[in-house]
Amino acid sequence: MGSMSPDVPLLNDYKQDFLLKRFPQTVLGGPRLKLGYCAPSYIYVNQIVLFLMPWALGGTGTLLYQLDVLRDYAAAALSGGLMVFTAAVIQLISVYSKSKSVVVKRMRTRDILSEEDQHEFTSCAGAETVKFLIPGKKYVANTVFHSVLAGLVCGLGTWYLLPNRVTLLYGSPGATAVLFVFGWITLCIGEYSLIVNTATETATFQTQDTYEITPLMRPLYIFFFVSVDLAHRFIVNSPALEQMNQILHILFVLLPFLWALGTLPPPDALLFWAVEQVLEFGLGGSSMSTHLRLLVMFIVSAGAPVVSYFIPSTIGVVLFMTGLGFLLSLNPSDVSMVFRHAVVRHRVGSRHEASPGNSGQWFRWKECLLFVAVLGMALLEAGLLHRYASFSQVSRHSAQSVVGCVLMALLSILWILRETQSIYIFGIFRNPFYPKDIHAVSVFFDKQSKLLKIGAVRWILLTLVSPLAMVAFLALDSSLHGLHSVSVSIGFTRAFRMVWQNTEHALLETAVVSAVHMVSSTDCWWNRSLDTGIRLLLIGIMRDRLIQFITKLQFVVTILLALWTEKKQHRKTTTTLCVLNTVFAPFVLVIIIISTLLSSPLLPLFTLPVFLVGFPRPVQSWPGAVGTAACVCTDTVFYHQMVPRLTVALQTAMAAGSLGLLQPGSHYLGRFEDRLIWIMILECGYTYCCINIKGLELQETSCHTAEAQRVDEVFESAFQQEHPQVCSLNEHLENVLTPCTVLPVKLYSDARNVLTGIIDSPENLKEFKDDLIKVLVWVLIQHCSKRPSTQENSHKTENKGEPSPVLPPASNNSPCPKSLEDSDSSNSDTDRDWSDGSIFGDEPAIKNRKEKPQSKDLLCTNLPIPGSVDSQNADHHSAGTGPKNDLYRMVMLGLPAVDKGQREDVTYIPLVEFSCSQSRLLSLPEEWRSNSTPRSKIIEMSSLFPEDWYQFVLRQLECFHSEEKSCVLEEIANDKALKDLYVHTVMACYIGLFGIDNGVPSPGQLVRVYNGGLPFSGNLDWLSEKPELFHLVRKAFRYTLKLMVDKASLGPIEDFKELTNFLREYERDWYIGLVSEEQWKEAILEEKPCLFCLGYESSMGVYTSRVLVLQEMSVHIGKLNAEAVRGQWANLSWELLYATNDDEERYSIQAHPLLLRNLTVQAADPPLGYPIFSSEPLPIHLC
């Protein structure tokens, strides 16, 4: 995305035409009267007939009722029955047309009509016409259910709109006529969407309507209006119901308008929203992290007031409410885990006690003891105070007043202590107690730790003192001593639970109720008609709605302010929109109030100051389960590693109050280097909360970068001022982000450097080849010394006083070719050179005396390089070979099959004899000793082998634990046969990396080999077919390259000991590889201290390195305006799901420095958003 232009269209031309066709269809409930192309007139006539069909059927029943032919209920039944029949016929016609359609398989061709959403009609009743008009249902069950439901809607709607009934409500024939006409239009819209063709709703919650729930939306609201009218019919002498019925009849004709604007939620969103609202404000609970937990908690919580209503004893009611309120406020996962643990322990007995950690990672036994102690104290306190208060009404009132004063004092103290924990007070004034020297990280965290001690005092007051004080206040209330009532059961069940579920909010509500009671008269309506529980409930609702109203108002001001002051946000309509919002400010205020009352998001259309009331939805804003979807990429692993560490840091900050009030729906933004962390609180309870952490993309677009820079500016102005003034103002008060605190988190710092002058230096490249041989020697020796066989047998001495023979491996390549005179491309030279017994022919190998006369003819049989075995004259060795020679026989792999009779005499190979018995423990695996490198080349390059380094590495080994360790290592270091094996293998690997040419490698060649691309050579297949050796060679190459970079930055290496320290550090603390490798991700998740990667930036033409270092870093945390997030997500849902405006350059996704619009869109759940990481609900225990 490029930088935003004022002329960026809200919708492109195609989407504008699409929206202009879709919106009339939504308004009318499904009829497509604006097609965008020429269609036969019968298409429009048929849709109009189907649209008015319910009115005709309902009008029949209405006419018969008006003529006194039928009673009202009979007329409704007649209309409903006719509608069921008509709906069934319509659905059968749709099914019949589908069955008549013939599917012809043919080659795929471009269907222009389909692409442009056009249809070709042949006749008025043709199959194509019917499918266009009546798409039909996906499921047979829905076909039946929707037809029956259509009959109920028509019958009850007829009863609802009977003229005589409407005239009785309003007493005006004119009002009756208007309500009758427009009321039936509403019914026709609802019926059409149910049985003919369902319109796309502006209020869309699910991305896909799998179970055809959308057609039920409009009939659902019709049923609600009718149900109030039915209640008014059968409940006489109810003025409240009569007034409600009159109001709803007026609103009934406005339903199409509300449906078109998307103000009314779809059924699934309505269900979860209603359950959340009742659970939070009616039952004292909290929003939950999953829909299943929400429904289960709602059912359990709803049973609490019912049970308390039937408990005969007042003290039993108090104890029941106190205990159950405490238990329901705990984390349900922890409670169920402890319950399962107890059941398992009971079943398996003492055997289960031996296995630690069975009660869960988070729910520790200390917490269990704390909860049991607190619950016991609360029950004891509530019982004693309730019993004591029953003796004297005067003492009860005076004691409750005293406790109320204590609660007000606690509220003030907790507020002061909470504000001292964050950088800003009220988000406006800088906190004078907050540490100022953020640049000195260690000093800053030391000072912050002292501030956290104040947070510990706050935690004690909030977690232990305040709940017990509020329990005392409630237990002393006089309402609990009277007869049970529904209001007392509901109000006090909620109050006793809120004490634990959300202590800070409950403390505020209790303090307000106590203060109002002190200053108001006892005869006022508030004190006389309402008990304390209902007062607390009403105060809780007002508190929540007031906070929502303030945050929504801030959101509106931010949008208007940004549109006017930010030059990049200016559009041609900027002045017009600002003037209209100023002129119609009361209307905008009404929209804000309605949105607040419904607890629904305030939807800014295209994120412009054109405000609508979004439909109510759950706090999570999205229908899917939390953490189940993310746009995973290579950077996702950083967030995987970060989450456990960040969770621990958040636990401390939340317990201290550094993040302010914790409530479901709060959003926080974290910033560290190029990483952005989005944190959302899902649910809260007693000493715990559940959060969701999302990671935003690291590969930043221009819009992402612009907003990330503004985030950095906001945090820098708060935390990185050199000489901040005392109580200075927040410079970014208009931004939706308010800085809170800084958290110490152990994370990977990411440093990227350009290697120009290092990787292309001729001196460094020349030293690289020498260092590579040394590193290869070290890696191979370390690998062999750490083999299990070496570790197990290093303390044993085998073959005492006898040399240890080693058998060279069999060949897996082609037989020995014909002899050529010392040709670099010939394998037979290598065979002849190896026939002397040692690798370079210095000493003769042990010969079998019976083999000696024939040795001249067997150039390929004596110690051959595996892969070049000559099968010629193999049968000459059959004579004179006994059981001893069977040990020396060799399997010739890759040769043609030999008859059984001819397999008796297979060539045997004399063994390599080690001078030290322990050398075999460090011997290279047999399959590594074979290669196709010419012997002459190995002899030529053997001078490069660092024998002194080889012996130094051997003498530093730690794999031998005997008392004579130094003597053993000295003997191994002087073992020539072992050295020859290492020389041969190391030089073969060296040639495999750089080829036969011994020139200086180029930087591009280093990068290719680093990435795993070997140059073509004779050893390419040999090295590639040995994964373990290939892995070691690649590791040695990468270690060498990292060594070259370190030498360039730290200086040359002085001695072998320093080189060994470098290599040991690479082995212990580093992962050196590629970002695309799976081991890179594993190293990050295992928290390897350091990681290194080499790369090439093609756009700049430079070689780069990337170094990750795990260390404690500062993560800035700020709180976002929750209503700004909800409003932008509501607009995103409308734009993508209804307007289908998925243009990557659309206006509503462009960078916005105040709203952080691009980041907010990214943080939405997929498929609408695109976070690269999203965690499952994470429980954070605040104790």
Side-chain angles (χ1 to χ4, degrees):
M1 284 173 285
S3 59
M4 191 184 69
S5 168
D7 298 326
V8 172
L10 303 179
L11 289 169
N12 58 38
D13 295 338
Y14 174 77
K15 294 299 182 181
Q16 289 179 14
D17 294 339
F18 174 80
L19 186 61
L20 290 177
K21 290 188 294 184
R22 170 169 279 189
F23 188 70
Q25 182 184 0
T26 302
V27 172
L28 296 176
R32 288 179 275 189
L33 302 180
K34 182 176 176 59
L35 300 179
Y37 58 92
C38 184
S41 58
Y42 55 77
I43 295 296
Y44 303 99
V45 173
N46 288 344
Q47 291 184 88
I48 294 173
V49 170
L50 290 172
F51 180 80
L52 297 177
M53 184 69 69
W55 198 346
L57 300 178
T60 302
T62 302
L63 180 61
L64 294 176
Y65 168 75
Q66 291 297 118
L67 296 175
D68 292 331
V69 177
L70 294 175
R71 302 287 297 273
D72 53 356
Y73 57 85
L78 176 64
S79 300
L82 293 175
M83 191 68 234
V84 170
F85 177 76
T86 305
V89 171
I90 290 174
Q91 294 302 317
L92 289 175
I93 291 175
S94 175
V95 173
Y96 179 77
S97 66
K98 289 181 181 179
S99 64
K100 283 296 184 181
S101 300
V102 179
V103 179
V104 180
K105 292 184 178 180
R106 55 186 175 182
M107 295 179 61
R108 293 185 178 180
T109 57
R110 185 177 179 183
D111 189 353
I112 300 177
L113 294 180
S114 177
E115 290 180 1
E116 297 297 328
D117 193 24
Q118 296 186 15
H119 300 266
E120 185 175 352
F121 306 104
T122 56
S123 65
C124 179
E128 183 66 26
T129 303
V130 173
K131 285 192 295 183
F132 173 79
L133 297 176
I134 314 169
K137 307 296 179 181
K138 292 189 291 186
Y139 306 106
V140 177
N142 282 339
T143 301
V144 178
F145 174 64
H146 290 180
S147 298
V148 175
L149 192 62
L152 288 174
V153 170
C154 186
L156 294 176
T158 302
W159 205 1
Y160 185 72
L161 294 175
L162 288 175
N164 289 349
R165 177 65 180 172
V166 177
T167 303
L168 288 176
L169 282 175
Y170 298 98
S172 171
T176 300
V178 172
L179 292 177
F180 181 80
V181 173
F182 288 100
W184 268 108
I185 292 177
T186 300
L187 282 174
C188 290
I189 291 173
E191 293 280 17
Y192 197 97
S193 66
L194 184 62
I195 61 170
V196 183
N197 185 20
T198 304
T200 303
E201 300 289 351
T202 50
T204 302
F205 188 56
Q206 300 280 354
T207 54
Q208 292 183 345
D209 187 18
T210 306
Y211 302 103
E212 295 179 314
I213 297 176
T214 304
L216 304 178
M217 173 182 168
R218 304 194 182 198
L220 177 68
Y221 289 101
I222 293 174
F223 276 129
F224 169 75
F225 282 76
V226 172
S227 63
V228 176
D229 182 71
L230 292 178
H232 181 217
R233 287 174 183 267
F234 296 107
I235 300 177
V236 295
N237 298 326
S238 178
L241 271 179
E242 183 177 1
Q243 292 178 2
M244 183 182 295
N245 198 12
Q246 290 174 346
I247 295 172
L248 291 182
H249 268 78
I250 297 174
L251 291 178
F252 187 78
V253 301
L254 299 177
L255 277 179
F257 178 73
L258 297 177
W259 286 331
L261 290 180
T263 305
L264 300 178
D268 47 354
L270 176 64
L271 171 65
F272 294 121
W273 170 81
V275 169
E276 274 189 356
Q277 295 294 307
V278 174
L279 179 61
E280 182 175 355
F281 300 107
L283 302 173
S286 165
S287 303
M288 306 304 287
S289 56
T290 65
H291 295 323
L292 179 61
R293 284 167 66 112
L294 178 66
L295 295 176
V296 171
M297 182 59 71
F298 173 76
I299 294 172
V300 175
S301 301
V306 176
V307 174
S308 65
Y309 181 81
F310 291 101
I311 296 178
S313 171
T314 57
I315 191 170
V317 170
V318 171
L319 294 177
F320 173 78
M321 290 179 177
T322 303
L324 188 61
F326 177 84
L327 294 176
L328 291 178
S329 67
L330 300 177
N331 188 353
S333 300
D334 292 340
V335 175
S336 62
M337 193 176 298
V338 171
F339 178 76
R340 291 197 302 268
H341 175 63
V343 172
V344 172
R345 285 190 64 180
H346 177 72
R347 289 179 179 177
V348 303
S350 59
R351 289 177 300 170
H352 190 73
E353 298 176 2
S355 57
N358 289 295
S359 60
Q361 179 181 2
W362 295 105
F363 205 78
R364 300 178 295 271
W365 64 272
K366 291 183 179 179
E367 296 176 11
C368 294
L369 292 179
L370 173 65
F371 294 156
V372 171
V374 172
L375 178 59
M377 292 175 61
L379 292 174
L380 182 62
E381 177 193 36
L384 292 177
L385 289 177
H386 181 76
R387 184 67 177 171
Y388 161 76
S390 63
F391 294 116
S392 172
Q393 184 175 0
V394 176
S395 62
R396 179 172 64 240
H397 286 304
S398 60
Q400 191 176 28
S401 300
V402 171
V403 175
C405 294
V406 172
L407 291 175
M408 286 186 279
L410 276 174
L411 178 64
S412 303
I413 294 172
L414 287 173
W415 174 81
I416 294 173
L417 294 179
R418 187 185 72 236
E419 293 299 323
T420 59
Q421 298 298 312
S422 58
I423 185 67
Y424 287 119
I425 299 174
F426 290 123
I428 301 174
F429 305 102
R430 182 181 176 84
N431 180 8
F433 302 102
Y434 201 83
K436 300 177 178 60
D437 46 356
I438 185 67
H439 293 285
V441 178
S442 58
V443 177
F444 172 82
F445 287 141
D446 288 340
K447 293 185 177 181
Q448 192 184 47
S449 63
K450 297 177 182 178
L451 199 62
L452 291 177
K453 294 178 181 178
I454 301 176
V457 176
R458 175 188 174 274
W459 180 87
I460 294 173
L461 294 176
L462 182 65
T463 307
L464 302 178
V465 178
S466 297
L468 294 177
M470 284 186 285
V471 168
F473 179 86
L474 295 174
L476 291 169
D477 195 83
S478 59
S479 302
L480 293 172
H481 293 273
L483 295 175
H484 292 328
S485 65
V486 175
S487 63
V488 170
S489 296
I490 294 176
F492 277 93
T493 300
R494 175 196 176 275
F496 274 105
R497 181 173 178 182
M498 277 290 292
V499 165
W500 311 102
Q501 189 81 51
N502 200 321
T503 306
E504 289 190 82
H505 287 163
L507 186 60
L508 174 62
E509 297 166 11
T510 309
V512 170
V513 169
S514 180
V516 171
H517 181 74
M518 290 180 182
V519 300
S520 62
S521 172
T522 56
D523 295 331
C524 70
W525 169 82
W526 177 262
N527 293 325
R528 185 184 69 253
S529 302
L530 301 177
D531 57 72
T532 303
I534 298 300
R535 287 182 229 154
L536 289 171
L537 188 151
L538 294 177
I539 292 295
I541 295 175
M542 287 188 284
R543 168 195 54 78
D544 179 79
R545 295 307 190 256
L546 179 61
I547 294 175
Q548 281 196 40
F549 177 79
I550 294 173
T551 53
K552 282 182 169 68
L553 195 59
Q554 291 175 341
F555 177 41
V556 170
V557 172
T558 300
I559 291 180
L560 289 170
L561 190 64
L563 191 65
W564 185 258
T565 59
E566 294 286 337
K567 293 182 179 180
K568 292 185 177 181
Q569 303 299 323
H570 277 223
R571 298 181 59 83
K572 296 177 181 179
T573 57
T574 295
T575 304
T576 304
L577 289 174
C578 291
V579 170
L580 289 176
N581 276 273
T582 304
V583 173
F584 293 99
F587 182 71
V588 174
L589 196 62
V590 170
I591 292 178
I592 297 175
I593 293 174
I594 295 175
S595 175
T596 300
L597 293 176
L598 293 176
S599 187
S600 61
L602 183 66
L603 192 155
L605 203 61
F606 300 106
T607 65
L608 290 172
V610 179
F611 300 104
L612 300 175
V613 179
F615 66 86
R617 65 198 78 192
V619 168
Q620 295 178 20
S621 297
W622 309 111
V626 173
T628 56
C631 303
V632 179
C633 65
T634 56
D635 294 326
T636 302
V637 67
F638 290 107
Y639 293 107
H640 276 289
Q641 179 273 329
M642 178 190 300
V643 163
R645 301 278 187 176
L646 181 62
T647 302
V648 175
L650 286 172
Q651 178 180 0
T652 304
M654 289 179 173
S658 301
L659 302 186
L661 279 172
L662 302 178
Q663 58 183 358
S666 298
H667 297 265
Y668 298 87
L669 187 67
R671 178 67 168 169
F672 164 69
E673 288 189 350
D674 59 348
R675 272 160 260 179
L676 283 162
I677 309 145
W678 193 283
I679 304 168
M680 179 181 181
I681 297 182
L682 303 175
E683 67 176 271
C684 291
Y686 185 62
T687 69
Y688 90 96
C689 68
C690 281
I691 64 172
N692 168 240
I693 298 178
K694 294 177 181 176
L696 306 188
E697 63 179 356
L698 305 186
Q699 306 297 329
E700 300 177 349
T701 61
S702 58
C703 293
H704 182 106
T705 303
E707 293 188 356
Q709 288 176 352
R710 178 56 64 93
V711 171
D712 291 335
E713 292 175 6
V714 172
F715 283 128
E716 287 173 3
S717 66
F719 297 111
Q720 298 183 7
Q721 292 184 7
E722 294 184 0
H723 302 288
Q725 298 179 358
V726 179
C727 295
S728 58
L729 292 177
N730 182 2
E731 298 177 3
H732 299 274
L733 186 61
E734 73 282 0
N735 202 289
V736 295
L737 177 66
T738 303
C740 292
T741 188
V742 178
L743 302 180
V745 186
K746 200 170 186 179
L747 304 170
Y748 280 103
S749 63
D750 194 349
R752 302 169 190 257
N753 302 304
V754 177
L755 298 181
T756 303
I758 298 177
I759 196 173
D760 53 358
S761 171
E763 293 80 6
N764 292 341
L765 293 174
K766 185 177 180 180
E767 291 181 6
F768 178 87
K769 299 193 71 174
D770 298 334
D771 291 338
L772 177 59
I773 299 177
K774 295 179 183 178
V775 178
L776 271 171
V777 171
W778 187 86
V779 168
L780 292 178
I781 292 177
Q782 292 295 320
H783 172 76
C784 293
S785 67
K786 294 178 181 178
R787 286 180 302 192
S789 60
T790 305
Q791 300 293 336
E792 294 172 2
N793 302 323
S794 60
H795 64 283
K796 298 180 181 179
T797 303
E798 298 181 5
N799 302 325
K800 296 179 181 180
E802 298 180 2
S804 176
V806 173
L807 176 67
S811 168
N812 60 351
N813 291 330
S814 59
C816 178
K818 62 182 180 179
S819 175
L820 295 176
E821 292 294 333
D822 197 20
S823 172
D824 285 347
S825 61
S826 172
N827 293 335
S828 60
D829 268 353
T830 307
D831 299 336
R832 287 196 295 270
D833 293 336
W834 272 69
S835 65
D836 290 335
S838 73
I839 295 178
F840 303 117
D842 297 330
E843 297 289 341
I846 298 176
K847 303 282 186 175
N848 189 317
R849 294 181 179 179
K850 295 182 180 180
E851 179 189 358
K852 187 173 181 180
Q854 303 168 359
S855 60
K856 294 182 180 180
D857 299 328
L858 300 175
L859 298 178
C860 294
T861 59
N862 296 335
L863 282 178
I865 297 295
S868 58
V869 177
D870 192 353
S871 61
Q872 297 176 0
N873 301 325
D875 56 334
H876 293 276
H877 299 276
S878 59
T881 56
K884 181 178 179 180
N885 293 335
D886 291 340
L887 297 174
Y888 307 143
R889 296 183 187 275
M890 169 180 156
V891 179
M892 294 180 292
L893 300 177
L895 298 182
V898 182
D899 292 340
K900 184 176 180 181
Q902 298 177 355
R903 292 291 301 268
E904 295 179 359
D905 299 318
V906 180
T907 303
Y908 71 90
I909 301 300
L911 301 178
V912 175
E913 180 180 359
F914 290 132
S915 61
C916 177
S917 60
Q918 297 287 2
S919 296
R920 68 176 187 82
L921 300 177
L922 297 176
S923 176
L924 296 170
E926 296 178 0
E927 62 271 14
W928 292 4
R929 304 173 198 162
S930 62
N931 65 78
S932 57
T933 305
R935 177 178 178 274
S936 60
K937 194 64 182 177
I938 291 182
I939 294 176
E940 177 186 340
M941 302 188 68
S942 61
S943 59
L944 300 176
F945 185 83
E947 185 173 351
D948 51 350
W949 166 253
Y950 164 79
Q951 293 183 355
F952 176 83
V953 173
L954 287 177
R955 292 188 178 100
Q956 298 296 317
L957 291 178
E958 300 289 341
C959 61
F960 294 95
H961 307 287
S962 62
E963 297 178 357
E964 301 179 354
K965 169 186 171 183
S966 59
C967 297
V968 173
L969 291 176
E970 188 67 28
E971 293 178 5
I972 294 176
N974 295 325
D975 192 329
K976 189 176 184 306
L978 180 64
K979 186 199 75 170
D980 290 345
L981 287 177
Y982 273 95
V983 171
H984 177 67
T985 304
V986 168
M987 302 315 298
C989 294
Y990 180 82
I991 294 173
L993 291 175
F994 295 109
I996 297 178
D997 186 14
N998 194 24
V1000 178
S1002 64
Q1005 186 178 359
L1006 294 186
V1007 174
R1008 284 194 298 272
V1009 177
Y1010 183 94
N1011 294 336
L1014 298 180
F1016 181 79
S1017 66
N1019 279 1
L1020 178 60
D1021 293 338
W1022 166 75
L1023 196 57
S1024 302
E1025 291 171 359
K1026 297 168 178 57
E1028 188 177 15
L1029 179 60
F1030 179 79
H1031 169 73
L1032 293 174
V1033 172
R1034 185 179 60 181
K1035 181 171 74 169
F1037 186 92
R1038 291 175 174 180
Y1039 281 9
T1040 310
L1041 199 142
K1042 178 65 172 64
L1043 184 65
M1044 180 178 69
V1045 176
D1046 288 345
K1047 287 167 62 178
S1049 57
L1050 302 177
I1053 295 176
E1054 297 180 356
D1055 51 23
F1056 287 165
K1057 187 173 182 59
E1058 185 178 358
L1059 176 57
T1060 303
N1061 292 336
F1062 270 101
L1063 297 177
R1064 285 177 178 173
E1065 181 185 351
Y1066 295 160
E1067 187 76 16
R1068 181 184 64 252
D1069 297 336
W1070 287 79
Y1071 176 78
I1072 302 173
L1074 297 174
V1075 176
S1076 58
E1077 292 174 343
E1078 193 65 28
Q1079 292 84 351
W1080 178 275
K1081 300 178 183 178
E1082 295 173 0
I1084 293 177
L1085 295 178
E1086 294 171 1
E1087 295 194 338
K1088 200 79 169 175
C1090 305
L1091 292 91
F1092 175 86
C1093 175
L1094 179 69
Y1096 178 73
E1097 186 65 39
S1098 57
S1099 60
M1100 301 173 59
V1102 295
Y1103 298 97
T1104 60
S1105 68
R1106 183 180 184 184
V1107 178
L1108 304 180
V1109 179
L1110 185 64
Q1111 54 187 327
E1112 191 172 80
M1113 303 295 291
S1114 302
V1115 177
H1116 300 114
I1117 301 293
K1119 189 172 185 178
L1120 294 161
N1121 185 319
E1123 292 303 324
V1125 175
R1126 294 183 68 201
Q1128 292 181 77
W1129 281 356
N1131 173 72
L1132 176 67
S1133 178
W1134 180 87
E1135 268 199 84
L1136 293 185
L1137 298 183
Y1138 182 75
T1140 64
N1141 187 24
D1142 55 354
D1143 187 357
E1144 294 182 355
E1145 298 294 334
R1146 64 185 184 272
Y1147 172 81
S1148 61
I1149 203 176
Q1150 301 295 323
H1152 196 297
L1154 297 185
L1155 290 178
L1156 304 181
R1157 185 166 53 195
N1158 186 265
L1159 299 180
T1160 305
V1161 169
Q1162 288 185 51
D1165 282 4
L1168 304 186
Y1170 44 97
I1172 64 174
F1173 171 80
S1174 181
S1175 70
E1176 295 181 351
L1178 301 172
I1180 295 183
H1181 286 69
L1182 309 178
C1183 60

